[in-house]
Amino acid sequence: MKQALRNLSILAGTLMIALPASASVTGNVGVTSNYLWRGVTQTGNETAVQGGIDYEHDSGFYLGTWASNVDFGDATSYELDIYGGYSGSIGEDFGYDVSYLYYAYPDSDGEIDFGEISVGVSWKWFSLSYSTIVNAGDDVASAPLDSEDMSYINGGVSFPLSETLSVSAHYGYSTGDVVTAWFSEDSYSDYSVSLDKETDYGSFSFMVSNTDLDDDDPKVILSYSYGFDM
């Protein structure tokens, strides 16, 4: 897994040197009242500070890294994501994206890192994607459960209300052995509705999210992010 990440970093560096005129590098920073991943808090329902760097080439190829604090009730204090993929469009309305994302937890006591491949399509305001784990640490799920058995279906719709204001709705469905290991359920659904506002000073989001997991309550999340060129 470390070798795969090293190869991605080398490839990114090569492209930045060879093709600077047709590529861009951007950064982002943000804060959220609760970091949710597929409807489930990663911070014990507390605030998260987040940020990342993205490289994008005109051909559609992209690479990036992103980090956030987390709280799993153990020694793990932060998540570091590294990802790469290819996206494009057919005509004005249809888009597609294929990517790999590696979730790393460098200071965890266990081997809980894992990587996913995702394939997504979009049409106008609608989007649909499928993700599945392709590599995972031994502690993601305990034997006899399979640490690489988890898939996720993600559907969404986003409608512009004005040039700077939009409303979005999301539904996700997770299934597999990893879900069983984490939640004692063989599958669960998550869903949310959000209102997003773009301003000259960054993006603001108000979201209500919930899952159908037992003993899980609806969550209200306020988020702010700011993007910039590098």
Side-chain angles (χ1 to χ4, degrees):
M1 291 181 285
K2 292 181 180 178
Q3 184 62 44
L5 295 181
R6 188 178 301 111
N7 291 341
L8 281 175
S9 299
I10 293 172
L11 181 57
T14 302
L15 287 173
M16 288 181 191
I17 294 171
L19 301 169
S22 56
S24 63
V25 180
T26 59
N28 63 86
V29 294
V31 61
T32 179
S33 61
N34 192 354
Y35 169 26
L36 300 184
W37 186 76
R38 297 176 183 174
V40 178
T41 181
Q42 306 295 290
T43 52
N45 292 314
E46 298 295 333
T47 301
V49 177
Q50 305 168 334
I53 298 174
D54 292 287
Y55 165 83
E56 185 174 354
H57 188 261
D58 287 349
S59 65
F61 176 79
Y62 61 88
L63 286 170
T65 184
W66 180 88
S68 174
N69 59 287
V70 298
D71 183 359
F72 300 149
D74 56 18
T76 309
S77 66
Y78 72 101
E79 171 187 328
L80 176 63
D81 298 345
I82 300 176
Y83 49 87
Y86 183 84
S87 63
S89 61
I90 300 175
E92 296 183 356
D93 297 329
F94 181 80
Y96 58 89
D97 185 283
V98 179
S99 65
Y100 171 81
L101 194 160
Y102 185 83
Y103 301 87
Y105 304 91
D107 62 352
S108 174
D109 291 335
E111 297 181 12
I112 62 172
D113 297 0
F114 65 97
E116 285 187 327
I117 287 180
S118 299
V119 178
V121 294
S122 63
W123 182 75
K124 292 187 177 180
W125 298 325
F126 302 91
S127 63
L128 181 67
S129 67
Y130 173 81
S131 304
T132 185
I133 292 180
V134 292
N135 59 286
D138 292 339
D139 297 324
V140 171
S142 301
L145 298 176
D146 185 352
S147 291
E148 296 182 3
D149 181 27
M150 181 180 182
S151 60
Y152 185 65
I153 298 173
N154 177 16
V157 58
S158 180
F159 294 103
L161 302 178
S162 69
E163 290 185 356
T164 60
L165 188 66
S166 63
V167 61
S168 303
H170 152 85
Y171 173 81
Y173 179 76
S174 300
T175 185
D177 280 359
V178 175
V179 175
T180 302
W182 290 351
F183 306 113
S184 300
E185 302 276 354
D186 58 6
S187 63
Y188 78 96
S189 298
D190 69 278
Y191 32 89
S192 65
V193 176
S194 65
L195 185 66
D196 304 295
K197 174 68 174 180
E198 299 287 340
T199 75
D200 293 337
Y201 308 101
S203 302
F204 297 85
S205 176
F206 173 83
M207 180 172 68
V208 178
S209 177
N210 199 7
T211 75
D212 62 2
L213 290 167
D214 292 339
D215 302 321
D216 194 23
D217 297 319
K219 294 166 283 290
V220 176
I221 297 94
L222 299 176
S223 303
Y224 167 79
S225 64
Y226 179 77
F228 51 90
D229 294 328
M230 299 182 67

